[in-house]
Amino acid sequence: MASTGRRFRLVAALLFSTLILPRSLAAPTTNKSCDTIDEGYRCSPEITHFWGQYALWFSVPSEVDVDAPEGCSVSFASVLSRHGGRDPTMGKTIAYGATIALIQNSSTAFPDEFAFLKDYKYTLGADQLTDAGRQEMVNSGAHFYQRYKKLLKENAPFVRSSGQDRVVESANKWLQGYAQAAKQSSPASIDVTIPEGAGINNTLSHEICTAFESGPADKIGDAAQDIWIAQFVPPIQARVNSKLGTNLSTAETIYLMDMCPFDTLSSPTARVSDFCRLFTEAEWHQYDYYQSLGKYYGYGNGNPLGPTQGVGYVNELLARLTQTPVQDHTNTNQTLDADPATFPLDRKAYADFSHDNDMSAIFAALGLYNSTTPLSNTSIEDTTATNGFSAAWTVPFAARMYVEKLSCEDAQEEYVRVIMNDRVVPLEFCGSDEAGRCSLSAFVESQSFARGGGNWDQCFADSVASSRS
Ligand SMILES: *[C@@H]1O[C@H](CO)[C@@H](O)[C@H](O)[C@H]1NC(C)=O
Ligand SMILES: *[C@@H]1O[C@H](CO)[C@@H](O)[C@H](O)[C@H]1NC(C)=O
Ligand SMILES: *[C@@H]1O[C@H](CO)[C@@H](O)[C@H](O)[C@H]1NC(C)=O
Ligand SMILES: *[C@@H]1O[C@H](CO)[C@@H](O)[C@H](O)[C@H]1NC(C)=O
Ligand SMILES: *[C@@H]1O[C@H](CO)[C@@H](O)[C@H](O)[C@H]1NC(C)=O
Ligand SMILES: *[C@@H]1O[C@H](CO)[C@@H](O)[C@H](O)[C@H]1NC(C)=O
Ligand SMILES: *[C@@H]1O[C@H](CO)[C@@H](O)[C@H](O)[C@H]1NC(C)=O
């Protein structure tokens, strides 16, 4: 017996050394944290990259090489960033907590992958960044610095933030990550914070397009989503209810799906939540499509007042690219933009911090997704195949659009490129080449929608009509 025991231990030790030890010796390659500076979020990508705007940032694959082409150097870099991962908004956190309570007090069973729900404690907060979301922004600042360090060594970015707490905190975390990467002793400060609220002109936060805020345009995204919900949720709802013995509604079924990204974000290391395993890969694709519909029809090309609300920012971008004063009569604040202290034109690097909805409108104003096939509200499509549109590819947490100018040996004029979450966006509308570049003048010319005012008068069409009557 003893010798058998010894032999067992020997075999076990051998097994341990061949199977376990080499792996632990190889720790630096296998010790993968989920969120990284270079690739962003990389755990279970077949699920985690399909959470719409609730995805943690990840580096999107690019058909065009994202590095500057041979013979070119970057002469200008700007970033428009979403805030990092956060807790659910106030209304949602109450609804999610109630859904968990309802499951816990009405389930007849917690089988298999549902077992953890029995003792799950709902502790999510509301509205603010989570630690994992803060880390996303630190990583984002380092990512920007690493990409553009040659330019940035002599040219610190001018930084603006929209005024909400989580956006301001995101900008500061980004500056912290930037300072760490640049080996600076302390981070720089935000240069301008623009408050959010009714009646405030803020190109980083929509509020003043009256016809949108109080009219039917605001409901178009929800309506498109509702049609898709009626298609994709019932089978999921039936499965969950039959497993748990509950009677969850369609909305409560979606809340259970929302818990996956939010519970992941509440883990300081952003460990993939147990909620995520309640649903299949195909179901996550359907969920991602649901979120994409909301952005496309709520704020993007699918909304008649979507692109209009992004025009002010585009005109500011054109001013920076061409170093000429801002020409805009939409939501820019002309007092801020006329003052070199709050809107300098001679900088070579800029960073702006905002929200997903505002960024969706800005991308639409730029025309970046003009060639995307309009999204169907009844059948799922791989929208990333038609010019890279999905909410997870455009506005995940810590999303970032880089607009860069390249100075190249082969041309007198500078070029412009747009890089969406590390993916080079083909700029067909200004005749971009194989490197995704348009000449600066062709790019400026292509932006006639913004330069021409972007139908801003439509924002007040109703009030004009009623004040006439
Ligand atoms: C593993 O990753 C953690 C978190 O990124 C890091 O602090 C630690 O040093 C890493 N360990 C090894 C052995 O690489
Ligand atoms: C179960 O939880 C729901 C949601 O919080 C609540 O409305 C309901 O009253 C609870 N029912 C029981 C029997 O505790
Ligand atoms: C424009 O900015 C100035 C300076 O910050 C501020 O005093 C003013 O209230 C702003 N106006 C609007 C309409 O947002
Ligand atoms: C759904 O799509 C159809 C076909 O494109 C369109 O006619 C309809 O207006 C859409 N409905 C909503 C609510 O989005
Ligand atoms: C389930 O909920 C629906 C409304 O959401 C209700 O009409 C139905 O009676 C409920 N069924 C049971 C068995 O409680
Ligand atoms: C704010 O925007 C409105 C609407 O375009 C415009 O009439 C007003 O002049 C702007 N105010 C400032 C300070 O730029
Ligand atoms: C995108 O499409 C809109 C609507 O057709 C158009 O007004 C705008 O000029 C287009 N943008 C670009 C950059 O081509």
Side-chain angles (χ1 to χ4, degrees), residues 68-80:
E70 288 255 322
C72 295
S73 62
V74 177
S75 50
F76 171 105
S78 80
V79 55
L80 172 63

Side-chain angles (χ1 to χ4, degrees), residues 137-138 159 161 167-177 187-190 353:
M137 295 311 298
V138 171
V159 179
S161 177
V167 184
V168 171
E169 191 184 4
S170 291
N172 283 319
K173 288 289 165 193
W174 187 92
L175 283 163
Q176 186 185 319
S189 311
I190 298 168
F353 295 86

Side-chain angles (χ1 to χ4, degrees), residues 24 27-29 31-33 35:
S24 61
T29 53
N31 175 20
K32 287 188 147 197
S33 73
D35 197 16

Side-chain angles (χ1 to χ4, degrees), residues 179-194:
Q180 282 166 11
K183 303 199 165 34
Q184 293 166 350
S185 52
S186 60
S189 311
I190 298 168
D191 294 290
V192 177
T193 302
I194 308 174

Side-chain angles (χ1 to χ4, degrees), residues 285-308:
H285 287 225
Q286 294 164 350
Y287 175 87
D288 192 48
Y289 191 67
Y290 152 73
Q291 302 293 14
S292 298
L293 282 170
K295 295 305 162 197
Y296 187 84
Y297 289 104
Y299 302 91
N301 285 49
N303 191 296
L305 289 175
T308 294

